[in-house]
């Protein structure tokens, strides 16, 4: 009997299971952490972190194996075409795993200081990562939604993880309410898509929508005066008499409504203006490693979902729909750039400042969507990649500052960081330069591709907007630098880095600089993600 | 040696960077070691750039000593270096002034010496990179990279309002350069791609391609580049960062700022803006008129503001606005004389204004003030200083036999060929220049010693001689025998004028009397 169970497991892993094997591993490690947590002493809690890290490494290794499979036989899907393994999934998953690993490394000491060293924390990190990977791999509305909710629920709990801290609780509540609200909107959009097409598979939805588009076209033609219109009218009267009663405008309305609802739901998740209000409070209240995680991974994952939907369902191959949503996205992008950059100018809390700055980064990435060509896709992928590492790095420096008796989140707390810890100050400078987009750093290359794509697709006004916002951005990033480098240190103690933090910072700074100094391999990777 | 000969530009470019990296290894406490290491690499940077002069062939107008390597093949960016006569002079100016600036900091900087020398050396690499890069991508990287060390030089070692001045400098320059980035990208995108080839950032290729662009596109590109360079130079309405940055920066920072950094703007005008002028004569005329008027306003306005200054350093800073106005006037006159004069004047300005800032630095180190009213009658306690200061002042105001005269005269001559009015307004700037510099000299050096503290100021010491005397020698050299310098830039300037103002040489030719046959040949007919 045992044999037959093993056999069925093996055959499962060879079939559908292989498609979600990286996720399965993460779940197993997460559950393992929850169980082991009961056995280990308070002092040995770091074992949890080690296990979680091992989980991400295993998962990354499996991804590597999957990549070989994709190279050998192209992309493949499972579970009745609801989950797919393709370069897009591989690229984003490796980003998520990297972000998760960085956050795990940064969390150990932070939780010690907060006296909240619990196994659940690491399990939740892994579960959130599972959700994100499903968001990148799903090609079915249900899988996508479940992935999104798995991620979001984990994040709600993680945000409120500092039970004794008022800010943390408040942030969690705010996050839950707005998050649930936005998920509702998204689900509503999904339901309309389902209603329009009778399918949850993205491919089927796309073809159904295309048929609908054709129908709209025919109906519109039949209303034209003249011989051609009359001909079409007669044809319709014979073939599909009911269609004569349709109003072409109403026919078009539902797909647009579905698009708007989905977009709004996702704009909440990526914190684009005007759906960004939760971000600064959540960023400020959450434990800093979780802030980094929300900022880096949740945003990237929501972008993955957005891109997946846009590329397959709302594809701009249909010329009419492209023009419709282009204005919406361009408007949101400019609003995000404007509000994100202007609001960041006056912040005094570094986490809030980075929250607003991340809103402006969303604006840049959305501009890539507006451009919608090869360069733009490379740019979006490159931007997200660099964003993950430079933002994680910036938060890592803030986390290093968190010492016993020092919160280290206010700009004043950074004063004289250079005298206290030159290494931390240099790293902070590099991350700030990269966030602002000064070469030779990864942040510049991301922006470079976005700007180039805007010029290629003849959006000079948007391009000018986008580049000029680098100037205020540099100003507020350099407010951080000024405090760290040019102000005299106060009473604050020297920050001491643990080896885990050193590893995380080294990885982050390596990618930030390498992707700026020698972007070739990273560009290839970004191109690979979109099958170029 | 062979390697050196093939990669001489890379060596020149990265020697300061290597120095900066080595300085990282020296412990923070050993101030003396930082100074010595910094100076060694300053001198080394200059020494390795000397072979450039030897190997450079002035007969050849194009780029030489080129180096090419793949950098980011997927977007067509290359590591491509090369120089022509214009960039050669600017590179030499950079390494030379860099060496002097580093030496001048010996006794002025006592805190965070390690970082100070690292940043100065990084700045050197950034500036040399701008002058030798022949790939737009690489150029932009150097252009931006150099902002960061300069920001810190002003922000950490500057005087009272250093934070304000530093960020103002950074933001102004950045605003210009991001617009330039768009222009570069547009140039990159609109340039035709050869069949089967990839896009490229190669400067000569793109500028050649730009010749076939439509005029509206060229105008857009021109203005895109213009703002970056006009802010850097700085031209009249964009100059407000300059007095703050120059005044607040430490002496070495001011020397580098005035001596080299501003030249990045004029270099950009010559190299990138001129080829982007539209072909339509009316349109071109309009653009040139705007730029020239701005230059003339800069010349006169800068000079007038100088007359009103109470702070020595601020006065000299404003004098840069005026002097750089001459440089842009010469460039946009589009005549060979104007252009070569402009290039030479850039070098002259680096020498004279660099020396003036050193002189202010000498006084500041002794008295810790820069107010003109605090000084007076310094010629009595400091006679040698007075002599050098006088020579430098005269060189800056354009006294014959000194370098400033050659530059300004050639520029005005070049401008005169195009429009007498331009030359007339320009020469007003020369008069005003004499006024503010001599009046400054008079107030500081002549008359009775008014302040007790000034009575026994020590004269120049050996190190200060070492920083000032080479500049004075150069000032005389250019003033008396400028031919070697003109020879270096003659061919590239000729090439540029042929390209952007093809009518000029024909018109000049037509002015000549018809060639008369020699008497001997006439007889045989």
């Amino acid at each position: 009997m045992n044999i037959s169970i093993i056999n069925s497991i093996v055959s499962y892993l060879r079939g559908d299971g292989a498609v979600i094997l990286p996720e399965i591993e993460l779940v197993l490690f997460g559950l393992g952490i929850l169980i082991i947590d009961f056995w280990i002493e308070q002092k040995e809690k770091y074992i949890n972190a080690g296990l979680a890290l091992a989980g991400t490494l295993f998962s990354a290794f499996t991804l590597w194996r999957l990549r070989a499979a994709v190279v050998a036989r192209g992309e493949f899907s499972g579970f009745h075409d609801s989950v797919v393994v393709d370069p897009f999934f591989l690229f984003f998953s490796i980003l998520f795993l990297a972000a998760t690993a960085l956050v795990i490394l940064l969390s150990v000491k932070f939780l010690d200081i907060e006296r909240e060293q619990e196994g659940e924390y690491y399990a939740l990190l892994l579960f959130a990562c599972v959700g994100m990977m499903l968001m990148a791999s799903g090609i079915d509305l249900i899988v996508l939604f479940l992935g999104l909710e798995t991620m979001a629920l984990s994040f709600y709990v993680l945000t409120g993880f500092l039970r004794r801290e008022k800010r943390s609780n408040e942030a969690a509540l705010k996050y839950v309410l707005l998050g649930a609200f936005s998920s509702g909107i998204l689900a509503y959009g999904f339901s309309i898509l389902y209603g329009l097409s009778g399918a949850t598979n993205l491919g089927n939805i796309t073809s159904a929508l295309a048929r609908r588009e054709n129908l709209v076209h025919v109906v519109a033609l039949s209303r034209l005066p003249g011989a051609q219109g009359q001909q079409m009218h007669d044809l319709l009267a014979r073939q599909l008499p009911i269609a004569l009663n349709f109003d072409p405008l109403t026919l078009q309305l539902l797909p647009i409504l579905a698009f708007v609802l989905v977009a709004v739901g996702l704009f909440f998740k990526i914190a684009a203006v005007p759906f960004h209000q939760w971000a600064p409070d959540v960023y400020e209240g959450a434990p800093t490693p979780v802030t980094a995680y929300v900022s880096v991974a949740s945003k990237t994952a929501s972008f993955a979902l957005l891109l997946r939907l846009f590329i397959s369902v709302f594809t701009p191959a249909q010329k009419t729909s492209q023009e419709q949503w282009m204005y919406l996205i361009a408007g949101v992008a400019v609003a995000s750039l404007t509000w994100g950059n202007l609001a960041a100018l006056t912040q005094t809390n570094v986490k809030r400042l980075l929250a607003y700055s991340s809103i402006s980064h969303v604006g840049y990435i959305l501009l890539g969507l507006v451009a919608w060509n090869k360069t733009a896709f490379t740019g979006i992928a490159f931007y997200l990649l660099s964003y993950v590492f430079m933002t994680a790095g910036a938060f890592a420096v803030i986390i290093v500052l968190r010492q016993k008796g020092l919160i280290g989140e206010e700009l004043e707390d950074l004063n004289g960081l250079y005298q206290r810890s030159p290494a931390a100050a240099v790293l902070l400078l590099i991350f700030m330069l990269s966030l602002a987009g000064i070469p030779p750093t990864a942040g510049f290359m991301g922006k470079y591709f976005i700007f180039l794509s805007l010029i290629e697709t003849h959006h000079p006004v948007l391009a000018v907007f986008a580049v000029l916002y680098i100037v205020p951005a540099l100003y507020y990033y350099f407010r951080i630098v000024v405090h760290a480098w040019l102000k005299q240190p106060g009473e604050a103690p020297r920050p001491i880095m643990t080896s885990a933090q050193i590893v995380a910072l080294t990885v982050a700074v390596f990618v930030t600089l390498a992707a700026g100094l020698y972007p070739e391999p990273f560009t290839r990777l970004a191109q690979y993600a979109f099958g170029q | 040696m062979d390697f050196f000969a093939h990669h001489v530009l890379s060596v020149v470019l990265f020697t300061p960077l290597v120095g900066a990296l080595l300085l990282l290894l020296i412990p923070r406490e050993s101030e003396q070691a930082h100074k010595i290491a910094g100076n060694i690499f300053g001198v080394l940077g200059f020494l390795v750039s000397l072979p450039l002069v030897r190997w450079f062939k002035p007969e050849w107008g194009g780029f030489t000593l080129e180096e090419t390597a793949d950098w980011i093949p997927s977007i067509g960016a290359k590591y491509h270096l090369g120089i022509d006569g214009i960039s050669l002079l600017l590179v030499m100016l950079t390494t030379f002034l860099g060496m002097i600036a580093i030496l001048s900091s010996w006794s002025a900087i006592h805190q965070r010496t390690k970082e100070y020398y690292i940043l100065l050396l990084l700045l050197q690499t950034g500036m040399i990179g701008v002058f030798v890069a022949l790939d737009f991508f690489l150029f932009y990287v150097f252009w931006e990279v150099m902002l960061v060390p300069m920001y810190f030089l002003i922000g950490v070692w500057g005087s009272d309002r250093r934070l304000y001045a530093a960020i103002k400098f950074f933001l102004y320059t950045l605003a210009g350069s991001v617009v330039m980035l768009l222009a570069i990208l547009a140039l990159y995108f609109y340039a035709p791609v050869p069949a089967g080839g990839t896009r490229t950032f190669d400067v000569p290729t793109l500028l050649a391609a730009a010749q076939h662009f439509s005029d509206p596109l060229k105008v857009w590109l021109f203005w895109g580049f213009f703002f970056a360079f006009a802010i850097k130079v700085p031209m009249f309405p964009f100059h407000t960062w300059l007095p703050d940055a120059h005044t607040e920066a430490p002496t070495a920072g001011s020397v580098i700022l005035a001596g080299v950094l501003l030249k990045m703007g004029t270099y950009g005008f010559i190299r990138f803006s001129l080829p982007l002028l539209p072909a339509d004569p009316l349109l071109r005329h309009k653009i040139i008129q705007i730029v020239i008027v701005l230059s003339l306003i800069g010349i006169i306005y800068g000079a007038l503001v100088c007359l009103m200054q109470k702070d020595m350093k601020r006065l000299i800073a404003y004098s840069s606005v005026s002097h750089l106005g001459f440089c842009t006037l010469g460039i946009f006159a589009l005549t060979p004389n104007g252009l070569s004069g402009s290039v030479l004047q850039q070098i002259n300005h680096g020498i004279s204004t660099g020396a003036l800032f050193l002189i202010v630095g000498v006084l500041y180190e002794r008295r810790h003030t820069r107010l003109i009213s605090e000084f007076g009658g310094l010629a009595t306690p400091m006679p040698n200083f007075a002599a050098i200061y006088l020579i430098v002042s005269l060189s800056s105001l354009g006294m014959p036999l000194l370098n400033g005269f050659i530059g300004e005269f050639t520029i005005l001559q070049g401008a005169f060929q195009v429009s007498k009015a331009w030359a007339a307004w320009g020469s007003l700037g020369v008069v005003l220049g004499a006024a503010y510099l001599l009046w400054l000299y008079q107030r500081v050096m002549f008359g009775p010693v008014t302040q007790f503290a000034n009575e026994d100021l020590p004269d120049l010491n050996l190190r200060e001689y070492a920083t000032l005397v080479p500049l004075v020698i150069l000032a005389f050299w250019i003033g008396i025998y400028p031919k070697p310098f003109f020879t270096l830039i003659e061919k590239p300037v000729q090439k540029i004028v042929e390209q952007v103002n093809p009518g000029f040489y024909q018109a000049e030719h037509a002015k000549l009397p018809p060639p008369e046959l020699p008497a001997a040949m006439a007889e045989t007919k």
Side-chain angles (χ1 to χ4, degrees):
Chain A
M1 198 204 94
N2 279 340
I3 302 292
S4 74
I5 288 180
I6 290 170
N7 273 342
S8 65
I9 289 177
V10 166
S11 69
Y12 177 75
L13 286 181
R14 286 209 178 123
D16 281 347
V19 181
I20 55 163
L21 192 55
E23 286 96 328
I24 292 178
E25 287 171 0
L26 283 183
V27 171
L28 289 179
F29 270 93
L31 295 175
I33 290 171
L34 287 182
I35 295 167
I36 289 173
D37 192 39
F38 287 117
W39 274 289
I40 51 183
E41 298 279 325
Q42 192 61 38
K43 271 192 214 155
E44 297 166 335
K45 290 283 185 188
Y46 60 86
I47 292 175
N48 290 327
L51 268 179
L53 207 56
T56 57
L57 289 179
F58 262 96
S59 188
F61 177 70
T62 315
L63 277 178
W64 180 253
R65 299 287 298 273
L66 281 179
R67 182 191 153 274
V70 170
V71 169
R73 57 188 173 116
E75 57 183 64
F76 51 93
S77 57
F79 297 101
H80 303 283
D81 264 355
S82 55
V83 180
V84 70
V85 174
D86 57 359
F88 182 88
F89 162 71
L90 293 173
F91 173 78
F92 278 100
S93 298
I94 209 74
L95 276 191
F96 301 147
L97 286 174
T100 312
L102 286 178
V103 171
I104 293 168
L105 286 172
L106 293 171
S107 296
V108 184
K109 192 185 175 200
F110 190 87
L111 293 185
D112 267 342
I113 294 172
E114 297 287 353
R115 287 178 291 123
E116 293 284 1
Q117 192 70 271
E118 308 285 348
E120 293 87 15
Y121 179 88
Y122 299 102
L124 282 168
L125 287 183
L126 293 188
F127 293 153
C129 187
V130 170
M132 293 188 277
M133 285 163 81
L134 284 175
M135 284 163 79
S137 71
I139 48 168
D140 187 286
L141 291 184
I142 307 221
V143 175
L144 290 175
F145 192 74
L146 285 178
L148 181 72
E149 285 306 286
T150 312
M151 175 195 82
L153 286 173
S154 314
F155 274 133
Y156 302 148
V157 184
L158 284 170
T159 305
F161 210 78
L162 305 180
R163 286 167 297 160
R164 287 177 280 263
E165 182 119 12
K166 222 187 214 168
R167 278 195 309 174
S168 178
N169 289 317
E170 187 194 317
L173 190 62
K174 211 165 201 167
Y175 198 10
V176 171
L177 289 178
L178 284 170
F181 187 58
S182 65
S183 294
I185 296 176
L186 185 69
Y188 191 30
F190 279 3
S191 75
I192 294 178
L193 281 180
Y194 175 69
L196 286 174
S197 58
T200 54
N201 182 283
L202 295 188
N204 295 343
I205 293 175
T206 311
S207 44
L209 285 183
R211 281 200 300 278
R212 203 182 161 83
E213 190 99 3
N214 287 337
L215 183 66
V216 172
H217 197 61
V218 170
V219 173
L221 272 181
S222 75
R223 307 224 161 175
L224 283 180
Q228 203 198 358
Q230 191 57 41
Q231 216 179 342
M232 198 53 87
H233 189 270
D234 294 345
L235 190 73
L236 263 187
R238 260 180 284 129
Q239 301 278 331
L240 195 64
I242 193 170
L244 287 177
N245 304 330
F246 293 161
D247 180 21
L249 190 70
T250 337
L251 276 180
Q252 272 179 317
L253 210 58
L254 274 178
I256 295 178
L257 188 64
F259 165 75
V260 170
L261 288 171
V262 168
V264 167
L266 287 173
F267 286 161
F268 260 110
K269 301 286 179 198
I270 58 175
V273 175
F275 312 104
H276 65 285
Q277 286 92 343
W278 60 272
D281 293 330
V282 170
Y283 276 43
E284 190 188 352
T288 316
V290 175
T291 310
Y293 203 34
V294 171
S295 161
V296 160
S298 129
K299 200 160 275 191
T300 315
S302 307
F303 260 111
L305 176 50
L306 189 81
L307 287 167
R308 180 73 89 181
L309 282 174
F310 272 45
I311 289 172
S312 52
V313 179
F314 305 111
T315 165
Q318 296 147 325
K319 193 70 190 148
T320 45
S321 61
Q322 182 188 7
E323 279 164 10
Q324 285 155 8
W325 55 259
M326 226 37 116
Y327 288 107
L328 179 80
I329 295 189
V332 171
V334 171
S336 303
L337 280 175
T338 310
W339 183 241
N341 278 321
L342 295 186
L345 289 176
T346 55
Q347 300 303 319
T348 54
N349 180 297
V350 180
K351 281 160 83 179
R352 277 188 93 82
L353 194 156
L354 287 175
Y356 281 109
S357 98
S358 83
I359 292 172
S360 77
H361 286 296
V362 167
Y364 282 114
I365 302 174
L366 285 177
L367 282 179
L369 275 183
V370 175
W372 198 270
N373 64 3
K374 259 186 176 179
T375 318
F377 287 130
T378 313
I380 292 171
F382 202 108
Y383 206 113
L384 286 171
L385 187 150
S386 59
Y387 177 78
V388 165
F389 287 95
M390 64 196 183
T391 313
F395 278 111
V397 177
I398 308 299
I399 292 167
V400 167
L401 283 180
R402 176 77 174 95
Q403 303 286 332
K404 283 216 166 62
L406 174 72
I407 306 286
E409 290 170 9
E410 294 294 322
L411 276 175
E412 302 293 322
D413 296 336
L414 284 168
N415 279 0
L417 178 64
Y418 181 75
Q419 278 91 342
R420 289 187 280 144
S421 166
V426 170
L427 291 172
L428 189 67
L429 173 67
I430 293 173
F431 294 129
M432 289 302 137
L433 287 174
S434 180
L435 284 168
I438 305 289
T441 54
F444 167 69
M445 286 308 296
K447 287 199 170 70
Y448 158 83
F449 283 116
I450 301 280
F451 297 156
L452 181 60
S453 71
L454 284 174
I455 286 185
E456 284 177 354
T457 51
H458 306 284
H459 291 100
V461 180
L462 284 180
V464 170
F465 255 106
V467 291
L468 284 182
Y469 275 123
I470 292 183
V471 178
L474 184 102
Y475 176 74
Y476 60 74
Y477 289 126
F478 262 60
R479 284 180 67 210
I480 296 180
V481 171
V482 164
H483 279 274
W485 282 75
L486 306 181
K487 300 261 164 145
Q488 288 308 312
E491 305 286 285
R494 276 170 189 277
I496 303 146
M497 286 191 216
T498 64
S499 42
Q501 287 169 340
I502 291 174
V503 171
L505 277 168
T506 313
V507 171
V509 79
F510 174 77
V511 176
T512 307
L513 281 180
L517 284 169
Y518 189 61
E520 184 63 16
F522 298 91
T523 316
R524 294 259 172 78
L525 188 65
Q527 287 170 339
Y528 170 75
F530 288 92
Q532 293 170 21
Chain B
M1 204 61 207
D2 206 33
F3 174 85
F4 179 60
H6 284 114
H7 298 86
V8 60
L9 282 180
S10 291
V11 172
V12 173
L13 177 59
F14 290 116
T15 302
L17 185 69
V18 170
L21 292 178
L22 284 180
L23 262 163
L24 273 180
L25 304 176
I26 302 177
R28 240 208 272 190
E29 292 75 30
S30 40
E31 193 182 313
Q32 204 68 16
H34 304 147
K35 286 178 182 172
I36 293 169
N39 276 292
I40 287 176
F41 276 94
V43 174
L44 201 61
F46 178 61
L47 288 181
V48 293
S49 70
L50 282 176
L52 292 180
V53 183
R54 223 183 117 70
W55 290 337
F56 187 81
K57 298 202 173 41
E59 317 82 60
W60 166 244
F63 294 103
T64 60
L65 302 173
E66 283 184 78
E67 281 174 53
T68 319
D70 269 346
W71 180 24
I72 321 174
S74 53
I75 63 170
K78 282 195 165 128
Y79 173 78
H80 183 187
L81 309 179
I83 50 169
D84 64 357
I86 299 173
S87 30
L88 171 71
L89 275 185
L90 289 167
V91 169
M92 296 311 295
L93 178 74
T94 311
T95 54
F96 180 68
L97 275 185
M99 175 179 75
I100 287 181
I102 290 173
L103 181 60
S104 78
S105 321
W106 191 281
S107 59
I109 305 294
H110 290 295
Q111 45 151 345
R112 301 205 203 176
T113 43
K114 177 176 171 180
E115 295 78 12
Y116 180 82
Y117 288 103
I118 289 179
L119 289 171
L120 265 183
L121 289 169
L122 281 181
L123 187 63
Q124 283 291 105
T125 293
M127 292 184 307
I128 298 172
V130 167
F131 294 132
V132 299
L134 281 186
D135 182 282
F136 270 112
F137 201 87
L138 193 65
F139 169 78
Y140 186 77
V141 168
F142 282 123
W143 180 275
E144 293 271 88
V145 154
M146 142 262 121
L147 294 179
V148 182
M150 199 67 228
Y151 169 84
F152 281 107
L153 282 178
I154 302 175
V156 179
W157 295 275
S159 35
D160 305 338
R161 290 166 69 232
R162 55 178 180 268
L163 290 185
Y164 169 77
I167 197 74
K168 191 172 178 181
F169 160 76
F170 204 143
L171 293 182
Y172 259 70
T173 326
L174 187 70
S177 49
V178 291
V179 178
M180 176 174 74
L181 173 64
L182 278 192
I184 291 177
L185 291 178
L187 194 57
Y188 169 72
F189 171 63
Y190 285 106
V193 185
T198 47
R199 297 200 173 284
T200 172
F201 276 106
D202 192 55
V203 170
T205 316
L206 284 186
L207 289 181
Q211 298 310 311
H212 307 292
F213 286 179
S214 68
D215 271 353
L217 179 60
K218 272 173 125 179
V219 171
W220 279 110
L221 289 174
F222 177 85
W223 290 121
F225 279 101
F226 177 82
F227 285 111
F229 301 144
I231 290 174
K232 202 81 171 188
V233 165
M235 292 187 78
F236 159 64
F238 311 106
H239 67 281
T240 55
W241 65 268
L242 178 132
D244 288 313
H246 283 209
T247 313
E248 301 306 321
T251 303
S254 308
V255 171
I256 301 270
L257 257 176
V260 184
L261 233 71
L262 306 187
K263 309 318 182 297
M264 289 164 55
T266 41
Y267 171 77
F269 275 139
I270 297 176
R271 178 79 78 231
F272 308 118
S273 289
L274 290 186
L276 292 174
L277 280 172
D280 176 26
L282 265 178
L283 208 54
R284 162 191 294 238
H285 186 67
K286 247 188 227 165
I287 289 179
I288 288 184
Q289 206 111 65
I290 295 174
V291 182
I292 294 278
V293 167
L294 289 181
S295 310
L296 290 174
I297 295 178
I299 293 176
I300 295 168
Y301 168 83
L304 288 177
V305 176
C306 280
L307 288 170
M308 304 295 297
Q309 294 305 316
K310 298 190 177 73
D311 182 323
M312 280 181 88
K313 216 171 173 186
R314 222 175 159 78
L315 190 153
I316 294 161
Y318 269 110
S319 83
S320 291
V321 177
S322 181
H323 282 133
L324 266 294
F326 278 106
C327 292
T328 46
L329 174 68
I331 292 170
F332 284 91
L334 297 185
T335 55
N337 276 341
L339 261 174
S340 1
S342 173
V343 175
L344 194 65
Q345 181 65 6
Q346 289 168 35
I347 308 298
N348 293 338
H349 177 258
I351 294 167
S352 317
T353 309
L356 280 174
F357 276 121
L358 287 175
I359 281 165
V360 178
V362 167
L363 289 181
Y364 186 77
E365 264 181 54
R366 286 165 173 64
R367 284 290 321 275
H368 294 282
T369 177
R370 298 178 311 242
L371 289 180
I372 300 171
S373 54
E374 287 286 313
F375 299 107
L378 292 188
T380 319
M382 307 171 78
N384 297 337
F385 173 75
I388 288 187
Y389 182 14
L390 184 65
I391 296 171
V392 171
S393 284
L394 293 177
S395 115
S396 182
L397 63 83
M399 177 89 170
L401 281 191
L402 282 163
N403 58 351
F405 172 73
I406 308 286
E408 280 172 3
F409 180 79
T410 329
I411 288 174
L412 289 175
Q413 193 192 4
F416 188 84
Q417 285 172 307
V418 186
S419 154
K420 296 183 176 62
W422 295 355
W425 285 106
S427 27
L428 188 57
V430 182
V431 178
L432 288 172
Y436 63 75
L437 280 167
L438 289 179
W439 191 32
L440 173 70
Y441 188 80
Q442 184 196 346
R443 282 180 290 171
V444 173
M445 304 307 286
F446 289 156
V449 181
T450 46
Q451 301 263 338
F452 176 70
N454 293 339
E455 266 174 13
D456 35 32
L457 286 183
D459 207 341
L460 296 176
N461 62 28
L462 202 59
R463 186 184 52 81
E464 286 159 347
Y465 277 122
T467 59
L468 284 167
V469 169
L471 292 172
V472 170
I473 293 174
L474 258 181
F476 274 114
W477 180 11
I478 298 180
I480 295 170
Y481 188 60
K483 186 155 172 286
F485 296 88
F486 279 127
T487 324
L488 279 180
I489 49 184
E490 190 189 343
K491 285 281 169 184
V493 162
Q494 191 186 344
K495 232 179 104 185
I496 292 167
V497 174
E498 271 167 8
Q499 192 187 10
V500 298
N501 194 3
F504 177 81
Y505 283 109
Q506 292 161 10
E508 284 297 294
H509 211 67
K511 276 192 220 159
L512 293 173
E516 281 178 35
L517 291 173
M521 277 177 78
E523 271 172 25
T524 54
K525 274 202 171 166

